[in-house]
Amino acid sequence: KKDFNCLKGMDFQQMPIGFAMALAQNSAAMEAYAALSREAQSDILTRAHGARSEAEMHRSVSGIVNG
């Protein structure tokens, strides 16, 4: 059973749908994203809004965990 407490306080309305879906498929990235400061989250969302493909969006989400 997964613990989704890390989702509390996330503003999903600001997320591109592809980013939110990719984040939902990668629990490690979701937890890492939730632990980031609001400023760091905003930087990631800015890059996600600029993603031009699904692959680029998935790389953006993977980068949250892999640096």
Side-chain angles (χ1 to χ4, degrees):
K1 185 176 179 180
K2 292 188 177 188
D3 178 10
F4 292 104
N5 284 331
C6 65
L7 299 177
K8 290 181 181 176
M10 280 195 203
D11 187 0
F12 289 100
Q13 292 183 342
Q14 298 300 319
M15 289 183 189
I17 188 69
F19 179 81
M21 292 174 67
L23 200 60
Q25 295 172 356
N26 186 331
S27 60
M30 185 183 305
E31 290 177 18
Y33 179 83
L36 294 172
S37 68
R38 293 286 179 217
E39 183 178 349
Q41 288 179 357
S42 179
D43 290 344
I44 290 169
L45 288 179
T46 297
R47 287 194 302 273
H49 279 287
R52 298 186 182 270
S53 68
E54 182 180 348
E56 191 175 345
M57 189 68 73
H58 279 277
R59 282 192 300 274
S60 177
V61 168
S62 294
I64 296 170
V65 176
N66 301 328

Short mmCIF file of all heavy atoms in Angstrom, two decimals:
data_model
loop_
_atom_site.label_atom_id
_atom_site.label_comp_id
_atom_site.label_asym_id
_atom_site.label_seq_id
_atom_site.Cartn_x
_atom_site.Cartn_y
_atom_site.Cartn_z
N LYS A 1 0.85 -1.18 0.00
CA LYS A 1 0.00 0.00 0.00
C LYS A 1 0.89 1.24 0.00
O LYS A 1 1.77 1.37 0.83
CB LYS A 1 -0.89 -0.03 1.23
CG LYS A 1 -1.89 1.08 1.27
CD LYS A 1 -2.81 0.92 2.48
CE LYS A 1 -3.78 2.06 2.51
NZ LYS A 1 -4.68 1.96 3.65
N LYS A 2 0.62 2.16 -0.92
CA LYS A 2 1.43 3.36 -1.03
C LYS A 2 0.94 4.43 -0.07
O LYS A 2 -0.24 4.54 0.22
CB LYS A 2 1.40 3.91 -2.45
CG LYS A 2 2.11 3.02 -3.44
CD LYS A 2 2.22 3.69 -4.77
CE LYS A 2 2.99 2.78 -5.71
NZ LYS A 2 3.30 3.43 -6.95
N ASP A 3 1.89 5.24 0.40
CA ASP A 3 1.59 6.36 1.27
C ASP A 3 1.65 7.63 0.44
O ASP A 3 2.70 7.97 -0.11
CB ASP A 3 2.62 6.41 2.41
CG ASP A 3 2.40 7.57 3.34
OD1 ASP A 3 1.37 8.25 3.25
OD2 ASP A 3 3.29 7.80 4.18
N PHE A 4 0.54 8.31 0.31
CA PHE A 4 0.47 9.49 -0.52
C PHE A 4 0.51 10.79 0.29
O PHE A 4 0.08 11.82 -0.20
CB PHE A 4 -0.78 9.44 -1.41
CG PHE A 4 -0.71 8.36 -2.44
CD1 PHE A 4 -1.43 7.19 -2.28
CD2 PHE A 4 0.09 8.49 -3.55
CE1 PHE A 4 -1.36 6.18 -3.23
CE2 PHE A 4 0.17 7.49 -4.51
CZ PHE A 4 -0.56 6.33 -4.34
N ASN A 5 1.02 10.73 1.51
CA ASN A 5 1.12 11.93 2.33
C ASN A 5 2.00 12.98 1.67
O ASN A 5 1.84 14.17 1.93
CB ASN A 5 1.66 11.61 3.72
CG ASN A 5 0.61 10.96 4.59
OD1 ASN A 5 -0.58 11.21 4.42
ND2 ASN A 5 1.04 10.13 5.51
N CYS A 6 2.92 12.57 0.82
CA CYS A 6 3.81 13.53 0.16
C CYS A 6 3.03 14.43 -0.80
O CYS A 6 3.54 15.48 -1.20
CB CYS A 6 4.94 12.82 -0.57
SG CYS A 6 4.40 11.80 -1.96
N LEU A 7 1.80 14.08 -1.14
CA LEU A 7 1.00 14.88 -2.06
C LEU A 7 0.37 16.10 -1.40
O LEU A 7 -0.03 17.03 -2.07
CB LEU A 7 -0.12 14.03 -2.68
CG LEU A 7 0.31 12.83 -3.50
CD1 LEU A 7 -0.91 12.07 -3.97
CD2 LEU A 7 1.16 13.26 -4.67
N LYS A 8 0.33 16.09 -0.07
CA LYS A 8 -0.31 17.19 0.63
C LYS A 8 0.44 18.49 0.33
O LYS A 8 1.66 18.56 0.37
CB LYS A 8 -0.31 16.94 2.14
CG LYS A 8 -1.24 15.83 2.54
CD LYS A 8 -1.23 15.61 4.03
CE LYS A 8 -2.16 14.48 4.40
NZ LYS A 8 -2.11 14.16 5.81
N GLY A 9 -0.31 19.49 0.00
CA GLY A 9 0.27 20.80 -0.26
C GLY A 9 0.75 21.03 -1.68
O GLY A 9 1.19 22.12 -2.01
N MET A 10 0.69 20.01 -2.52
CA MET A 10 1.10 20.20 -3.91
C MET A 10 0.00 20.92 -4.68
O MET A 10 -1.18 20.64 -4.50
CB MET A 10 1.39 18.86 -4.60
CG MET A 10 2.72 18.29 -4.29
SD MET A 10 3.09 16.98 -5.48
CE MET A 10 4.26 16.05 -4.56
N ASP A 11 0.40 21.85 -5.52
CA ASP A 11 -0.55 22.62 -6.32
C ASP A 11 -0.62 22.01 -7.71
O ASP A 11 0.10 22.41 -8.61
CB ASP A 11 -0.12 24.08 -6.38
CG ASP A 11 -1.15 24.96 -7.06
OD1 ASP A 11 -2.21 24.44 -7.47
OD2 ASP A 11 -0.90 26.16 -7.18
N PHE A 12 -1.50 21.04 -7.88
CA PHE A 12 -1.60 20.32 -9.15
C PHE A 12 -2.14 21.20 -10.27
O PHE A 12 -1.93 20.92 -11.44
CB PHE A 12 -2.45 19.06 -8.99
CG PHE A 12 -1.76 17.99 -8.21
CD1 PHE A 12 -2.07 17.80 -6.87
CD2 PHE A 12 -0.79 17.20 -8.78
CE1 PHE A 12 -1.42 16.82 -6.13
CE2 PHE A 12 -0.14 16.22 -8.06
CZ PHE A 12 -0.45 16.04 -6.73
N GLN A 13 -2.85 22.27 -9.94
CA GLN A 13 -3.38 23.15 -10.97
C GLN A 13 -2.28 23.89 -11.72
O GLN A 13 -2.50 24.32 -12.84
CB GLN A 13 -4.38 24.13 -10.38
CG GLN A 13 -5.64 23.44 -9.89
CD GLN A 13 -6.66 24.41 -9.35
OE1 GLN A 13 -6.35 25.55 -9.04
NE2 GLN A 13 -7.89 23.96 -9.24
N GLN A 14 -1.12 24.04 -11.12
CA GLN A 14 0.00 24.71 -11.76
C GLN A 14 0.86 23.75 -12.60
O GLN A 14 1.74 24.18 -13.33
CB GLN A 14 0.89 25.39 -10.71
CG GLN A 14 0.18 26.47 -9.94
CD GLN A 14 -0.35 27.58 -10.83
OE1 GLN A 14 0.32 28.01 -11.75
NE2 GLN A 14 -1.56 28.02 -10.56
N MET A 15 0.59 22.45 -12.47
CA MET A 15 1.40 21.45 -13.16
C MET A 15 0.84 21.15 -14.55
O MET A 15 -0.37 20.96 -14.69
CB MET A 15 1.41 20.13 -12.39
CG MET A 15 2.18 20.15 -11.14
SD MET A 15 2.15 18.50 -10.40
CE MET A 15 2.87 18.86 -8.83
N PRO A 16 1.71 21.06 -15.54
CA PRO A 16 1.25 20.53 -16.83
C PRO A 16 0.76 19.10 -16.61
O PRO A 16 1.34 18.35 -15.81
CB PRO A 16 2.50 20.54 -17.70
CG PRO A 16 3.45 21.48 -17.03
CD PRO A 16 3.12 21.42 -15.57
N ILE A 17 -0.30 18.71 -17.29
CA ILE A 17 -0.90 17.40 -17.07
C ILE A 17 0.11 16.28 -17.32
O ILE A 17 0.16 15.29 -16.59
CB ILE A 17 -2.18 17.20 -17.90
CG1 ILE A 17 -2.89 15.90 -17.51
CG2 ILE A 17 -1.89 17.23 -19.39
CD1 ILE A 17 -3.49 15.91 -16.14
N GLY A 18 0.95 16.43 -18.33
CA GLY A 18 1.96 15.41 -18.62
C GLY A 18 2.96 15.27 -17.49
O GLY A 18 3.42 14.17 -17.17
N PHE A 19 3.31 16.39 -16.86
CA PHE A 19 4.23 16.36 -15.72
C PHE A 19 3.58 15.64 -14.55
O PHE A 19 4.20 14.78 -13.92
CB PHE A 19 4.63 17.78 -15.33
CG PHE A 19 5.57 17.85 -14.16
CD1 PHE A 19 6.93 17.64 -14.34
CD2 PHE A 19 5.10 18.12 -12.89
CE1 PHE A 19 7.80 17.68 -13.26
CE2 PHE A 19 5.95 18.17 -11.81
CZ PHE A 19 7.31 17.96 -11.99
N ALA A 20 2.33 15.99 -14.26
CA ALA A 20 1.63 15.35 -13.14
C ALA A 20 1.50 13.84 -13.37
O ALA A 20 1.69 13.05 -12.44
CB ALA A 20 0.24 15.98 -12.96
N MET A 21 1.21 13.45 -14.60
CA MET A 21 1.09 12.02 -14.90
C MET A 21 2.43 11.31 -14.77
O MET A 21 2.52 10.22 -14.22
CB MET A 21 0.50 11.84 -16.30
CG MET A 21 -0.94 12.28 -16.38
SD MET A 21 -1.61 12.23 -18.04
CE MET A 21 -1.61 10.48 -18.35
N ALA A 22 3.50 11.94 -15.28
CA ALA A 22 4.82 11.33 -15.17
C ALA A 22 5.26 11.25 -13.71
O ALA A 22 5.86 10.26 -13.29
CB ALA A 22 5.84 12.13 -16.00
N LEU A 23 4.93 12.27 -12.94
CA LEU A 23 5.27 12.28 -11.52
C LEU A 23 4.52 11.16 -10.79
O LEU A 23 5.09 10.48 -9.94
CB LEU A 23 4.92 13.65 -10.93
CG LEU A 23 5.57 14.05 -9.62
CD1 LEU A 23 7.08 14.09 -9.75
CD2 LEU A 23 5.05 15.40 -9.17
N ALA A 24 3.25 10.96 -11.16
CA ALA A 24 2.44 9.91 -10.53
C ALA A 24 2.99 8.52 -10.82
O ALA A 24 2.80 7.59 -10.02
CB ALA A 24 1.00 10.01 -11.01
N GLN A 25 3.71 8.36 -11.92
CA GLN A 25 4.28 7.06 -12.29
C GLN A 25 5.64 6.82 -11.67
O GLN A 25 6.19 5.73 -11.80
CB GLN A 25 4.40 6.98 -13.81
CG GLN A 25 3.07 6.99 -14.51
CD GLN A 25 3.20 7.10 -16.02
OE1 GLN A 25 4.29 7.23 -16.57
NE2 GLN A 25 2.07 7.06 -16.70
N ASN A 26 6.19 7.82 -10.99
CA ASN A 26 7.54 7.71 -10.42
C ASN A 26 7.47 8.16 -8.96
O ASN A 26 7.64 9.33 -8.66
CB ASN A 26 8.50 8.59 -11.23
CG ASN A 26 9.94 8.45 -10.82
OD1 ASN A 26 10.23 8.15 -9.66
ND2 ASN A 26 10.84 8.68 -11.73
N SER A 27 7.22 7.21 -8.06
CA SER A 27 7.01 7.56 -6.65
C SER A 27 8.24 8.20 -6.02
O SER A 27 8.11 9.09 -5.18
CB SER A 27 6.55 6.35 -5.85
OG SER A 27 7.50 5.31 -5.91
N ALA A 28 9.43 7.78 -6.43
CA ALA A 28 10.65 8.38 -5.87
C ALA A 28 10.74 9.85 -6.27
O ALA A 28 11.08 10.71 -5.45
CB ALA A 28 11.89 7.62 -6.35
N ALA A 29 10.41 10.16 -7.52
CA ALA A 29 10.43 11.54 -7.98
C ALA A 29 9.34 12.35 -7.28
O ALA A 29 9.55 13.52 -6.93
CB ALA A 29 10.25 11.61 -9.49
N MET A 30 8.18 11.75 -7.07
CA MET A 30 7.09 12.45 -6.39
C MET A 30 7.51 12.83 -4.97
O MET A 30 7.28 13.97 -4.53
CB MET A 30 5.84 11.57 -6.36
CG MET A 30 4.64 12.30 -5.79
SD MET A 30 3.15 11.28 -5.65
CE MET A 30 2.95 10.69 -7.30
N GLU A 31 8.11 11.91 -4.26
CA GLU A 31 8.55 12.19 -2.90
C GLU A 31 9.66 13.25 -2.89
O GLU A 31 9.65 14.14 -2.04
CB GLU A 31 9.02 10.90 -2.22
CG GLU A 31 7.88 9.95 -1.92
CD GLU A 31 8.36 8.64 -1.33
OE1 GLU A 31 9.49 8.56 -0.83
OE2 GLU A 31 7.57 7.68 -1.38
N ALA A 32 10.58 13.15 -3.83
CA ALA A 32 11.67 14.12 -3.91
C ALA A 32 11.12 15.51 -4.26
O ALA A 32 11.54 16.51 -3.67
CB ALA A 32 12.71 13.68 -4.94
N TYR A 33 10.18 15.57 -5.18
CA TYR A 33 9.57 16.84 -5.58
C TYR A 33 8.85 17.47 -4.39
O TYR A 33 8.98 18.67 -4.13
CB TYR A 33 8.61 16.62 -6.74
CG TYR A 33 7.92 17.88 -7.19
CD1 TYR A 33 8.55 18.76 -8.07
CD2 TYR A 33 6.64 18.20 -6.75
CE1 TYR A 33 7.92 19.92 -8.49
CE2 TYR A 33 6.01 19.35 -7.17
CZ TYR A 33 6.65 20.21 -8.03
OH TYR A 33 6.04 21.37 -8.44
N ALA A 34 8.11 16.67 -3.65
CA ALA A 34 7.36 17.17 -2.49
C ALA A 34 8.29 17.73 -1.42
O ALA A 34 7.91 18.65 -0.70
CB ALA A 34 6.50 16.06 -1.91
N ALA A 35 9.50 17.19 -1.33
CA ALA A 35 10.45 17.63 -0.31
C ALA A 35 11.19 18.91 -0.70
O ALA A 35 11.85 19.52 0.14
CB ALA A 35 11.45 16.51 -0.03
N LEU A 36 11.09 19.31 -1.96
CA LEU A 36 11.79 20.51 -2.43
C LEU A 36 11.14 21.78 -1.91
O LEU A 36 9.95 21.80 -1.59
CB LEU A 36 11.80 20.55 -3.96
CG LEU A 36 12.58 19.46 -4.68
CD1 LEU A 36 12.30 19.54 -6.18
CD2 LEU A 36 14.06 19.59 -4.40
N SER A 37 11.91 22.85 -1.89
CA SER A 37 11.36 24.16 -1.55
C SER A 37 10.39 24.60 -2.64
O SER A 37 10.44 24.09 -3.77
CB SER A 37 12.49 25.19 -1.43
OG SER A 37 13.05 25.44 -2.71
N ARG A 38 9.53 25.53 -2.35
CA ARG A 38 8.59 26.06 -3.34
C ARG A 38 9.35 26.67 -4.52
O ARG A 38 8.93 26.55 -5.66
CB ARG A 38 7.66 27.11 -2.72
CG ARG A 38 6.72 26.55 -1.70
CD ARG A 38 5.62 25.77 -2.37
NE ARG A 38 4.73 25.22 -1.35
CZ ARG A 38 4.17 24.05 -1.45
NH1 ARG A 38 4.39 23.31 -2.50
NH2 ARG A 38 3.39 23.60 -0.49
N GLU A 39 10.46 27.31 -4.23
CA GLU A 39 11.27 27.92 -5.30
C GLU A 39 11.82 26.85 -6.24
O GLU A 39 11.76 27.00 -7.46
CB GLU A 39 12.42 28.73 -4.70
CG GLU A 39 13.25 29.45 -5.72
CD GLU A 39 14.36 30.28 -5.10
OE1 GLU A 39 14.37 30.47 -3.88
OE2 GLU A 39 15.22 30.73 -5.87
N ALA A 40 12.34 25.76 -5.68
CA ALA A 40 12.87 24.67 -6.50
C ALA A 40 11.76 24.01 -7.31
O ALA A 40 11.93 23.68 -8.48
CB ALA A 40 13.59 23.65 -5.63
N GLN A 41 10.59 23.83 -6.68
CA GLN A 41 9.44 23.27 -7.40
C GLN A 41 9.05 24.18 -8.56
O GLN A 41 8.76 23.70 -9.66
CB GLN A 41 8.26 23.08 -6.46
CG GLN A 41 8.43 21.95 -5.47
CD GLN A 41 7.24 21.81 -4.54
OE1 GLN A 41 6.29 22.60 -4.57
NE2 GLN A 41 7.30 20.81 -3.67
N SER A 42 9.04 25.47 -8.32
CA SER A 42 8.69 26.43 -9.36
C SER A 42 9.66 26.36 -10.53
O SER A 42 9.25 26.43 -11.70
CB SER A 42 8.66 27.84 -8.78
OG SER A 42 8.34 28.78 -9.76
N ASP A 43 10.95 26.22 -10.25
CA ASP A 43 11.96 26.09 -11.31
C ASP A 43 11.69 24.85 -12.16
O ASP A 43 11.78 24.89 -13.39
CB ASP A 43 13.37 26.03 -10.72
CG ASP A 43 13.83 27.34 -10.13
OD1 ASP A 43 13.21 28.40 -10.42
OD2 ASP A 43 14.81 27.32 -9.36
N ILE A 44 11.37 23.75 -11.51
CA ILE A 44 11.08 22.50 -12.22
C ILE A 44 9.83 22.66 -13.08
O ILE A 44 9.79 22.22 -14.23
CB ILE A 44 10.96 21.33 -11.23
CG1 ILE A 44 12.33 21.00 -10.64
CG2 ILE A 44 10.35 20.10 -11.91
CD1 ILE A 44 12.30 20.05 -9.47
N LEU A 45 8.81 23.30 -12.53
CA LEU A 45 7.57 23.50 -13.29
C LEU A 45 7.79 24.39 -14.49
O LEU A 45 7.20 24.18 -15.55
CB LEU A 45 6.48 24.08 -12.40
CG LEU A 45 5.88 23.11 -11.38
CD1 LEU A 45 4.83 23.81 -10.54
CD2 LEU A 45 5.31 21.88 -12.05
N THR A 46 8.65 25.38 -14.35
CA THR A 46 8.98 26.25 -15.49
C THR A 46 9.59 25.43 -16.61
O THR A 46 9.22 25.58 -17.79
CB THR A 46 9.93 27.38 -15.05
OG1 THR A 46 9.27 28.18 -14.08
CG2 THR A 46 10.35 28.25 -16.23
N ARG A 47 10.52 24.54 -16.27
CA ARG A 47 11.12 23.66 -17.28
C ARG A 47 10.08 22.70 -17.87
O ARG A 47 10.06 22.44 -19.06
CB ARG A 47 12.30 22.89 -16.69
CG ARG A 47 13.52 23.74 -16.46
CD ARG A 47 14.76 22.91 -16.20
NE ARG A 47 14.64 22.03 -15.05
CZ ARG A 47 14.91 22.37 -13.79
NH1 ARG A 47 15.33 23.58 -13.51
NH2 ARG A 47 14.79 21.50 -12.82
N ALA A 48 9.19 22.20 -17.01
CA ALA A 48 8.16 21.26 -17.47
C ALA A 48 7.21 21.94 -18.45
O ALA A 48 6.79 21.33 -19.44
CB ALA A 48 7.39 20.70 -16.28
N HIS A 49 6.88 23.19 -18.19
CA HIS A 49 6.00 23.92 -19.11
C HIS A 49 6.66 24.08 -20.48
O HIS A 49 5.96 24.21 -21.49
CB HIS A 49 5.63 25.29 -18.54
CG HIS A 49 4.53 25.25 -17.53
ND1 HIS A 49 3.22 25.02 -17.87
CD2 HIS A 49 4.55 25.39 -16.18
CE1 HIS A 49 2.48 25.04 -16.76
NE2 HIS A 49 3.26 25.26 -15.73
N GLY A 50 7.98 24.05 -20.51
CA GLY A 50 8.69 24.20 -21.78
C GLY A 50 8.98 22.90 -22.49
O GLY A 50 9.54 22.90 -23.59
N ALA A 51 8.62 21.77 -21.87
CA ALA A 51 8.89 20.47 -22.49
C ALA A 51 8.15 20.35 -23.82
O ALA A 51 6.99 20.71 -23.93
CB ALA A 51 8.48 19.33 -21.56
N ARG A 52 8.84 19.84 -24.83
CA ARG A 52 8.26 19.75 -26.16
C ARG A 52 7.83 18.33 -26.54
O ARG A 52 7.31 18.12 -27.63
CB ARG A 52 9.25 20.28 -27.19
CG ARG A 52 9.57 21.74 -26.97
CD ARG A 52 10.45 22.25 -28.09
NE ARG A 52 10.80 23.63 -27.89
CZ ARG A 52 10.10 24.66 -28.35
NH1 ARG A 52 9.00 24.45 -29.03
NH2 ARG A 52 10.49 25.89 -28.14
N SER A 53 8.08 17.37 -25.65
CA SER A 53 7.69 15.99 -25.95
C SER A 53 7.44 15.24 -24.65
O SER A 53 7.87 15.67 -23.57
CB SER A 53 8.79 15.28 -26.75
OG SER A 53 9.93 15.09 -25.93
N GLU A 54 6.79 14.11 -24.78
CA GLU A 54 6.56 13.25 -23.63
C GLU A 54 7.89 12.76 -23.05
O GLU A 54 8.07 12.72 -21.83
CB GLU A 54 5.69 12.06 -24.03
CG GLU A 54 5.35 11.13 -22.90
CD GLU A 54 4.48 9.97 -23.33
OE1 GLU A 54 3.94 9.98 -24.45
OE2 GLU A 54 4.34 9.04 -22.53
N ALA A 55 8.82 12.42 -23.93
CA ALA A 55 10.13 11.95 -23.48
C ALA A 55 10.86 13.03 -22.68
O ALA A 55 11.48 12.75 -21.65
CB ALA A 55 10.98 11.52 -24.67
N GLU A 56 10.77 14.26 -23.16
CA GLU A 56 11.40 15.37 -22.44
C GLU A 56 10.76 15.58 -21.07
O GLU A 56 11.45 15.85 -20.08
CB GLU A 56 11.31 16.65 -23.27
CG GLU A 56 12.15 17.78 -22.76
CD GLU A 56 12.12 18.99 -23.68
OE1 GLU A 56 11.69 18.88 -24.84
OE2 GLU A 56 12.56 20.06 -23.20
N MET A 57 9.46 15.40 -20.99
CA MET A 57 8.75 15.53 -19.72
C MET A 57 9.19 14.42 -18.76
O MET A 57 9.46 14.68 -17.59
CB MET A 57 7.24 15.45 -19.95
CG MET A 57 6.42 15.77 -18.74
SD MET A 57 6.52 17.50 -18.25
CE MET A 57 5.53 18.26 -19.53
N HIS A 58 9.31 13.19 -19.26
CA HIS A 58 9.76 12.08 -18.41
C HIS A 58 11.20 12.30 -17.95
O HIS A 58 11.53 11.97 -16.81
CB HIS A 58 9.60 10.74 -19.14
CG HIS A 58 8.21 10.22 -19.08
ND1 HIS A 58 7.71 9.51 -18.02
CD2 HIS A 58 7.19 10.34 -19.96
CE1 HIS A 58 6.46 9.20 -18.24
NE2 HIS A 58 6.11 9.69 -19.42
N ARG A 59 12.05 12.85 -18.81
CA ARG A 59 13.43 13.16 -18.40
C ARG A 59 13.43 14.22 -17.30
O ARG A 59 14.22 14.15 -16.36
CB ARG A 59 14.26 13.63 -19.59
CG ARG A 59 14.73 12.51 -20.48
CD ARG A 59 15.78 12.97 -21.48
NE ARG A 59 15.32 14.02 -22.36
CZ ARG A 59 14.66 13.85 -23.50
NH1 ARG A 59 14.40 12.63 -23.91
NH2 ARG A 59 14.27 14.88 -24.23
N SER A 60 12.54 15.18 -17.41
CA SER A 60 12.43 16.22 -16.39
C SER A 60 12.06 15.60 -15.04
O SER A 60 12.64 15.96 -14.02
CB SER A 60 11.38 17.24 -16.83
OG SER A 60 11.19 18.23 -15.87
N VAL A 61 11.11 14.69 -15.06
CA VAL A 61 10.69 14.04 -13.81
C VAL A 61 11.81 13.14 -13.28
O VAL A 61 12.12 13.15 -12.09
CB VAL A 61 9.38 13.24 -14.02
CG1 VAL A 61 9.09 12.33 -12.84
CG2 VAL A 61 8.24 14.22 -14.26
N SER A 62 12.46 12.38 -14.15
CA SER A 62 13.57 11.51 -13.72
C SER A 62 14.70 12.34 -13.14
O SER A 62 15.38 11.90 -12.20
CB SER A 62 14.09 10.68 -14.89
OG SER A 62 13.11 9.78 -15.31
N GLY A 63 14.90 13.52 -13.67
CA GLY A 63 15.96 14.40 -13.20
C GLY A 63 15.76 14.88 -11.78
O GLY A 63 16.72 15.26 -11.10
N ILE A 64 14.54 14.84 -11.29
CA ILE A 64 14.28 15.23 -9.90
C ILE A 64 15.01 14.30 -8.95
O ILE A 64 15.59 14.72 -7.96
CB ILE A 64 12.76 15.22 -9.60
CG1 ILE A 64 12.06 16.27 -10.47
CG2 ILE A 64 12.50 15.47 -8.12
CD1 ILE A 64 10.55 16.17 -10.43
N VAL A 65 15.03 13.02 -9.29
CA VAL A 65 15.68 12.02 -8.44
C VAL A 65 17.16 11.89 -8.80
O VAL A 65 18.01 11.81 -7.92
CB VAL A 65 14.99 10.65 -8.60
CG1 VAL A 65 15.72 9.58 -7.81
CG2 VAL A 65 13.55 10.74 -8.17
N ASN A 66 17.45 11.89 -10.08
CA ASN A 66 18.81 11.61 -10.54
C ASN A 66 19.70 12.84 -10.65
O ASN A 66 20.86 12.72 -10.99
CB ASN A 66 18.75 10.92 -11.92
CG ASN A 66 17.99 9.63 -11.85
OD1 ASN A 66 18.00 8.95 -10.85
ND2 ASN A 66 17.29 9.31 -12.93
N GLY A 67 19.14 13.99 -10.34
CA GLY A 67 19.93 15.23 -10.37
C GLY A 67 20.14 15.71 -11.69
O GLY A 67 20.33 16.25 -12.53
#
